[in-house]
Amino acid sequence: MTDSLDFKASEPFTLGVELELELVDRRDGDLTRAATDLLRIAQKRHPKLDIKLEITESMIEVATAVQRDHEGVLADLRALRDAVCEAAELLNVGVCGGGAHPFQSWTERHIAEGARMHYISDLYGYLAKQFTVFGQHVHVGCADSDAAIKLVHGLSRYVPHFIALAASSPFLQGEDTAFDCSRMNTVSSFPLSGRMPFVRDWAEFNAYFEKMRSTGVVNSMKDFYWDIRPKPEFGTVEVRVFDTPLCVERAAALAIYVQCIARLILARPTLDITEDAYLAYTFNRFQACRFGIQGEIVDPITRERRPLDQDIRETVATIRQNVPSAEDEALREIERCIDSGNDATWLRARFAESGTLGMVVAAQTERFARSDDR
């Protein structure tokens, strides 16, 4: 055990993307216990790809290599998707995106093998199986530790954007939850979830971490389930609020959206943020989960309340004006999401057409496997 957390500097604004994916029975669309078998096949056929187990046997996680741009992220995600779908086909298993399975029962889930998995299960009890929800994580490279703290605080302003654009979990336990993103309610059950405490720099963060570690509440950064957290061992800031999108094209676009906003934030000479910047954080987060893009956002400094879709459109416009490396295809995907609806809207439309959640999952599986599906 070291006395402090050392932040491993990385190339600024590089990206790493992780997707947690659903493994479903093709016969009825329910989750199925297939992760270990799928992983074995995928690793044998594609040993260089980053594919790993998650908390239960009905999930698989894939991760890109470190990338700099939209083209690299999308190429990696497509390669990972194809590898996982190929292995799943041999098992007669389906793979799909989505933040939560529409009708699975958590009592039927099986904890995956691994010391970390069993530690979580022993500590959190039934919450571990209920944690069979599916998210996208985006890592952004930082030149130094203080830049990482600045970026965590700066990105927190945009958490409602990220939640609403990626929302894909309207159904849970066989019911329409009336939320676009129900997944975040499951994550919020964990005691170390929510937002990072307010600290001004890495020295203050280290002091906080040491206090927490001395209590025995945490042993490492993995024990924090914050919406956005620094990852000192990677030299990144990790955004964790996204539901897994239904297609990799949207996942890649969301990663670039984070990257572009990060460039805006770190281009500012200073980031004058106080604890007051978080006054409306929980309300804004709820609005995005509940209403998606149709929600509202409150500026805690000006007290202005405005439509979330308007705020996102203005952010995209600001990116185009101020970020020289902004990638237009990714930004057009963000605008398509605003214009046509997020994945929660798409899932509700599929249910309205078919009347059964099993058919919704079948549509999710088909959409994930197809490239360039909108």
Side-chain angles (χ1 to χ4, degrees), residues 124-324:
Y124 292 113
Y126 82 105
L127 290 179
K129 290 185 178 182
Q130 286 201 333
F131 206 35
T132 307
V133 290
F134 308 85
Q136 171 178 345
H137 302 162
V138 176
H139 290 260
V140 183
C142 295
D144 57 63
S145 56
D146 285 347
I149 295 300
K150 181 179 178 180
L151 193 55
V152 171
H153 290 317
L155 288 172
S156 293
R157 154 74 173 79
Y158 300 93
V159 159
H161 292 208
F162 304 151
I163 292 173
L165 289 167
S168 60
S169 51
F171 300 107
L172 193 68
Q173 300 290 300
E175 299 291 337
D176 189 325
T177 63
F179 279 68
D180 273 18
C181 171
S182 66
R183 168 183 160 272
M184 291 299 290
N185 295 325
T186 300
V187 177
S188 296
S189 300
F190 287 78
L192 298 175
S193 61
R195 69 173 182 88
M196 184 182 80
F198 182 75
V199 294
R200 293 174 179 80
D201 53 33
W202 193 251
E204 285 190 13
F205 182 83
N206 249 322
Y208 165 80
F209 181 79
E210 286 305 314
K211 288 178 183 177
M212 291 296 290
R213 186 158 61 179
S214 69
T215 66
V217 172
V218 300
N219 295 308
S220 74
M221 286 299 301
K222 288 183 179 181
D223 295 321
F224 293 112
Y225 291 89
W226 294 330
D227 295 344
I228 308 176
R229 67 184 181 187
K231 289 290 283 183
E233 66 270 35
F234 296 149
T236 65
V237 163
E238 180 187 15
V239 182
R240 298 167 50 83
V241 296
F242 300 103
D243 281 0
T244 297
L246 299 182
C247 63
V248 296
E249 288 75 23
R250 181 153 294 176
L254 290 168
I256 296 303
Y257 188 58
V258 173
Q259 182 191 54
C260 289
I261 292 173
R263 290 185 187 277
L264 290 176
I265 292 166
L266 293 184
R268 303 172 196 167
T270 60
L271 188 67
D272 297 323
I273 286 186
T274 68
E275 186 74 39
D276 281 356
Y278 289 98
L279 283 173
Y281 183 86
T282 304
F283 173 83
N284 289 340
R285 188 176 182 268
F286 166 80
Q287 280 279 314
C289 289
R290 173 65 178 85
F291 301 107
I293 295 166
Q294 303 308 312
E296 294 183 315
I297 188 169
V298 175
D299 186 315
I301 307 304
T302 66
R303 310 300 196 260
E304 180 187 9
R305 184 164 176 164
R306 61 206 310 238
L308 182 54
D309 62 346
Q310 177 186 337
D311 204 63
I312 298 172
R313 288 187 192 279
E314 291 182 5
T315 300
V316 171
T318 300
I319 289 170
R320 286 199 169 109
Q321 294 170 6
N322 295 280
V323 181

Side-chain angles (χ1 to χ4, degrees), residues 317-334:
T318 300
I319 289 170
R320 286 199 169 109
Q321 294 170 6
N322 295 280
V323 181
S325 61
E327 300 192 58
D328 202 53
E329 174 52 35
L331 296 181
R332 284 199 299 270
E333 176 66 14
I334 299 301

